[in-house]
Amino acid sequence: MTPTEEFAEFVGASSARLRRAAFLMCGDWHTAEDLAQTTLARLFVSWRRISRRGAAYSYALRTLTNLYLADRRTKRAGELVTGDLPERAAEPPGVETRLVVLDALGRLPPSARAVVVLRYWADMSVEQVADLLGWAPGTVRGQSSRALARLRPLLSDIWEEPDAAEPALGDRHEKRTAWHG
Amino acid sequence: MDKKSLHDLLESATLPEPPTGATPDSVIRAGIGLRRRRRAWYASGGAVAAVAVACAASLTVTLGTGGPAAAPGPTSGTVYVLGDGASQGTVTPISVATGAAGQPVVVRSAPANIQGPGELMAVTPDGKTIWASDGTDTVTAISTATNKAEKTITVVHGRAGITVQVLANPNGKDVYVLDSLGTVTPISTATYQPGTPIRLGRYSPDWMAITPDGRTLYVAGSGTQPVARPGARSMSDVIPIDTATGTAGAPIHVPGQAFGITITPDGRTVYVWGESATSLTSIIRPSTQVTPIPTATNTPGITVTVGTGGVGGTVMAPDGRTMYLLLQANNVIGPKKTIHNPSRVVYFSTVTNTPEKTINLGNPWPQGLAITPDGRTLYVPAASSSRQGDTGRVPGASRQCPQPGAVFPISTATGSVGNPITRVGCLPMFVAITPDGRTAYVVSGVVSVQTAVPVWGGSVTPVATSTNQPGKPISVGGQLEQILTVP
C-alpha cells in the first residue's frame, strides 16, 4: 500500500469523527467541515513523516484543536449562538437535548470547550489531553473542572453525573478508560 | 426526560449529521495544494530562467535570452495566469503594456478542484509555447502567438494520480510532467507526443528541478526506502534522471522531508531543502534544513539546519551566491498565551554552505518570496500590512477583507525591510516580476469571512518596482494558481 493509499484509508476511517469533534468545538457544521478538511490536508503534508500510523489520529485531533483555538484567537470570530435551527419537516427526537447541549457548550471559553470535547467525547485522559495540547496536566484538570462546574447547572435536567457531589467525574471516567487499556 | 452521561449528551448533540462533500480524493488534492505552497524554486539557464515562488503557490518568471534586459524601452510581453474556476480551468493572458486581460484559454471544462496553486505551468525556452496542466491528468500546449490551445495530452494514468509539476527542459526539446504516482512523462515539444514514461517505483514525488544544461533531472520525494521504524529518522530520496537516456539513477538519501530542490545557475550544486522530522513534536514545530549535493558526485554533503519554523519559500540570487529562505513564524499555542516566533528571511551562502544572516520580519503572515532579476530586492507578499500581524482594525478593512495584506520589499544588500506596499488586494499570495524587472505582479486571493481560510481568486495588481506604487488591479476569474510572464 502506498502512503497515499494509506492516507486515503485513514481519511475514510477518521474524517466523520474529526468533523464531529470540530462541530462540538465550533458549533457550526460548515466551519466544522472546513476545520476537518484543513486538518486532514495538513496531515497529508506531514503524512510520510508520521512514522507511527497509530499516532495519526491523535495528531489529527491536536491539529484540529490548535486550528480551532488559533482561529478563535487570531480572528476573534464571533460565534452566533442562536436558538433557531434550520427548518426541518419533522423534528427528530432529542432535538431539545441537542439544543441545550450546544447552548451550554457555547457558553464555555474556547479552550475549555476543546478540553471538554477531548476529555468527555473523545474519551481521553487528563494526561493524554495535556500531551496532545502541550499543556501541563494541572491546567487541563483545572480547565475541565471549571468547565464541568459551568455545565452542571445548564445540563442538570439531562446530565446524569455518576455522583453529583463529586466533581471529579473525569477521574472516574479515566479509571473506566484505563481498564480498557 | 432521560438522563445521560456527558459523553452520550455530546454524542447526541452531533446528530443529525449533515452530509459531507469531502472525499479522500478532495482531501488529498487540498493536501497537495498545501504542500505546493511551501515551496519555491528558482532555476536559471542561458535562455530561460524560471522562478517559482511559493507558500501558497508558485509562480514562474521567464527571463529573456541573455539574462535580464536592462535596456530602457516600452514594457512588453504577456502575463499568463492559471486559474481554477467553479466550472473550468483556464489560462488567462494579460498584456503587460495595456494591463488588459484577454480571452481565457480553457484547459479543463470541468472543475479541477485543486485547492492551492502549483507549478502546473511552464514555458518553453523560446517562449513560444506554454504547457499548462489542468491539475488532474492532462496538459495543454498553448501558443503564445495566438493564445489558443494547440493540443491536449493525457499524461497521468491511474487512480489518485494527478499532476504534481510541469517543467520545461532548458534545451527546448522536452517538457516533463511529474505525477503523484511517481512517474515522469517527457513530452516532445517538436511532435507534441509523450515519450516513454520514466517510472520511479514506489515513490511519492514532491518536486523536480533540472540542471541548466538540461542533462540531469532531479526529483525529490520519498518512498524508495523501507518503512521507517517508530522513532527512526525520516529520510527523503532525491533521484537523478539522465534526460538523454530517460534512466533513473540510484536514490540519494537526505534527512528529513525534502520539499524542494534549487540548483545553482552554474549547475554545480543541487540544494535540497525541507523540514526536519523525527517525532510528532517536530511535525508541529519543524526546523528548516538544507542539504547540498554536488552534481559531479551526487553524494550529499552536510545537512545544515537554518532555523526553526517551516520553510515558506526559497529563491536563488541571480549570481547564485546566496539562496534566500523564508521561514514561517511558528506559534506555540498554550492555554493562556501563544508564543510567537517571528517569520524570518535567511541568507544561505552557497559559497560556505552556511546561513549568513537572518532578517526578522515580525509576523505579517508572509506567503512567499520573489527576487528582482538584478538581485537587489526581495518582495514578500504577506497577509497583513503590519509586521505585528493582526492589529485589529486597519484602514481599508471591510467585512470581506478584515485584514488587507501587503507586499514587503527587502533590500538584499542592507537587509532592511521597506514600507509595506498596500492596495495590492486582500490576501497577496505570490509575486511575479517581469524579465525587465520593471513590474512586479501581485496575485491576491480573498479570505473566507466564515473560516478565515484563504480562497484563491481575486486580482492581479501590477507594482512599479522603481517606486513601489501599485497600479490598477486586474480581475481574473477563478482561484488563481500560478502566474508566468513571457517576454
Side-chain angles (χ1 to χ4, degrees):
Chain A
M1 198 186 262
T2 66
T4 305
E5 284 165 350
E6 269 177 20
F7 180 76
E9 198 174 274
F10 176 78
V11 171
S14 67
S15 64
R17 211 168 155 70
L18 284 172
R19 197 167 72 122
R20 262 178 258 155
F23 172 73
L24 286 172
M25 289 182 198
C26 70
D28 164 23
W29 280 111
H30 293 291
T31 310
E33 175 103 41
D34 277 345
L35 283 170
Q37 278 259 30
T38 309
T39 297
L40 286 167
R42 289 202 182 180
L43 198 71
F44 178 78
V45 173
S46 309
W47 186 247
R48 278 171 278 140
R49 291 189 281 166
I50 302 173
S51 50
R52 288 183 303 144
R53 292 290 190 251
Y57 186 70
S58 309
Y59 174 56
L61 263 184
R62 163 155 46 180
T63 307
L64 181 80
T65 312
N66 281 343
L67 275 174
Y68 159 71
L69 292 177
D71 196 35
R72 294 277 132 174
R73 277 193 184 81
T74 57
K75 297 297 167 195
R76 291 187 287 275
E79 178 188 328
L80 297 173
V81 179
T82 165
D84 300 324
L85 282 178
E87 282 185 38
R88 207 181 290 282
E91 295 288 7
V95 69
E96 197 181 325
T97 304
R98 178 172 175 265
L99 269 181
V100 171
V101 174
L102 286 177
D103 181 64
L105 281 177
R107 288 164 198 263
L108 297 178
S111 55
R113 192 167 171 169
V115 167
V116 166
V117 172
L118 293 174
R119 285 211 58 197
Y120 302 106
W121 179 79
D123 283 338
M124 298 174 83
S125 68
V126 167
E127 284 69 28
Q128 284 170 326
V129 174
D131 186 48
L132 185 121
L133 294 173
W135 299 356
T139 312
V140 174
R141 210 170 277 125
Q143 287 264 17
S144 55
S145 71
R146 275 195 298 278
L148 292 188
R150 209 150 165 186
L151 291 177
R152 196 164 290 121
L154 299 169
L155 301 178
S156 59
D157 290 345
I158 49 175
W159 178 13
E160 185 186 29
E161 271 191 277
D163 185 347
E166 186 191 344
L169 170 108
D171 294 340
R172 295 168 61 102
H173 187 78
E174 261 159 50
K175 279 176 201 149
R176 201 192 73 202
T177 52
W179 293 336
H180 292 286
Chain B
M1 191 181 285
D2 287 345
K3 290 195 171 189
K4 292 176 178 174
S5 72
L6 186 52
H7 176 274
D8 292 348
L9 285 176
L10 291 169
E11 187 70 37
S12 66
T14 65
L15 300 170
E17 202 174 335
T20 172
T23 62
D25 271 5
S26 70
V27 171
I28 288 169
R29 281 168 193 207
I32 288 174
L34 258 182
R35 201 191 283 162
R36 282 189 188 127
R37 279 190 255 157
R38 299 187 172 201
R39 304 172 189 146
W41 166 70
Y42 184 98
S44 180
V48 167
V51 181
V53 171
C55 172
S58 81
L59 99 219
T60 306
V61 175
T62 58
L63 301 181
T65 305
T75 301
S76 62
T78 312
V79 177
Y80 290 88
V81 186
L82 177 64
D84 174 15
S87 60
Q88 59 188 19
T90 55
V91 174
T92 305
I94 298 171
S95 161
V96 171
T98 65
Q103 190 66 30
V105 182
V106 176
V107 293
R108 184 176 174 83
S109 50
N113 194 27
I114 290 190
Q115 298 180 19
E119 315 68 43
L120 297 177
M121 199 164 50
V123 64
T124 51
D126 58 13
K128 287 185 181 165
T129 315
I130 283 175
W131 291 82
S133 164
D134 67 346
T136 54
D137 53 5
T138 66
V139 284
T140 300
I142 299 166
S143 160
T144 56
T146 62
N147 286 338
K148 289 209 164 29
E150 295 193 322
K151 183 157 185 176
T152 297
I153 302 165
T154 302
V155 282
V156 183
H157 304 277
R159 200 180 74 82
I162 64 169
T163 315
V164 172
Q165 196 181 349
V166 180
L167 181 70
N169 190 322
N171 71 12
K173 289 180 185 165
D174 292 296
V175 168
Y176 301 99
V177 181
L178 176 65
D179 71 35
S180 56
L181 304 171
T183 308
V184 176
T185 307
I187 299 171
S188 162
T189 55
T191 63
Y192 292 178
Q193 289 299 319
T196 310
I198 304 158
R199 298 190 199 283
L200 304 177
R202 293 170 63 84
Y203 189 65
S204 297
D206 279 314
W207 194 266
M208 62 178 171
I210 194 161
T211 51
D213 62 12
R215 286 189 188 163
T216 314
L217 186 66
Y218 287 87
V219 183
S222 60
T224 67
Q225 300 158 85
V227 174
R229 293 184 313 281
R233 281 172 70 81
S234 60
M235 301 283 280
S236 295
D237 293 327
V238 177
I239 300 180
I241 296 171
D242 182 334
T243 58
T245 62
T247 50
I252 305 161
H253 303 317
V254 296
Q257 185 177 13
F259 284 153
I261 298 174
T262 302
I263 301 176
T264 50
D266 62 13
R268 284 192 187 165
T269 314
V270 167
Y271 286 94
V272 181
W273 45 269
E275 292 174 7
S276 63
T278 54
S279 66
L280 275 179
T281 317
S282 65
I283 292 170
I284 308 279
R285 288 182 276 280
S287 296
T288 290
Q289 55 190 25
V290 175
T291 308
I293 304 173
T295 52
T297 61
N298 279 346
T299 308
I302 295 167
T303 298
V304 180
T305 298
V306 296
T308 59
V311 59
T314 68
V315 287
M316 181 71 85
D319 65 10
R321 294 171 70 86
T322 309
M323 181 161 82
Y324 301 96
L325 296 105
L326 172 68
L327 304 192
Q328 297 285 14
N330 55 40
N331 296 337
V332 182
I333 296 169
K336 296 275 192 268
K337 62 174 183 178
T338 302
I339 300 162
H340 297 282
N341 296 320
S343 308
R344 287 138 291 153
V345 172
V346 174
Y347 289 38
F348 185 87
S349 164
T350 60
V351 181
T352 61
N353 283 340
T354 51
E356 281 193 331
K357 188 171 169 180
T358 300
I359 297 168
N360 185 343
L361 282 179
N363 190 16
W365 297 315
Q367 307 288 316
L369 268 181
I371 193 165
T372 51
D374 62 12
R376 287 190 191 161
T377 312
L378 289 169
Y379 284 95
V380 180
S384 168
S385 56
S386 161
R387 289 170 69 185
Q388 274 73 51
D390 188 352
T391 53
R393 295 186 66 81
V394 294
S398 66
R399 189 171 150 70
Q400 281 69 37
C401 187
Q403 190 79 35
V407 174
F408 289 86
I410 301 173
S411 160
T412 55
T414 64
S416 61
V417 183
N419 289 329
I421 305 163
T422 55
R423 290 182 290 125
V424 287
C426 185
L427 181 64
M429 308 295 290
F430 37 106
V431 174
I433 299 163
T434 51
D436 60 15
R438 292 163 72 175
T439 314
Y441 284 88
V442 182
V443 177
S444 282
V446 289
V447 179
S448 155
V449 177
Q450 180 78 28
T451 61
V453 170
V455 176
W456 285 272
S459 63
V460 178
T461 309
V463 174
T465 54
S466 54
T467 60
N468 284 341
Q469 288 299 313
K472 201 175 158 221
I474 304 153
S475 288
V476 179
Q479 300 180 19
L480 307 187
E481 299 187 357
Q482 193 178 355
I483 182 167
L484 174 149
T485 69
V486 174

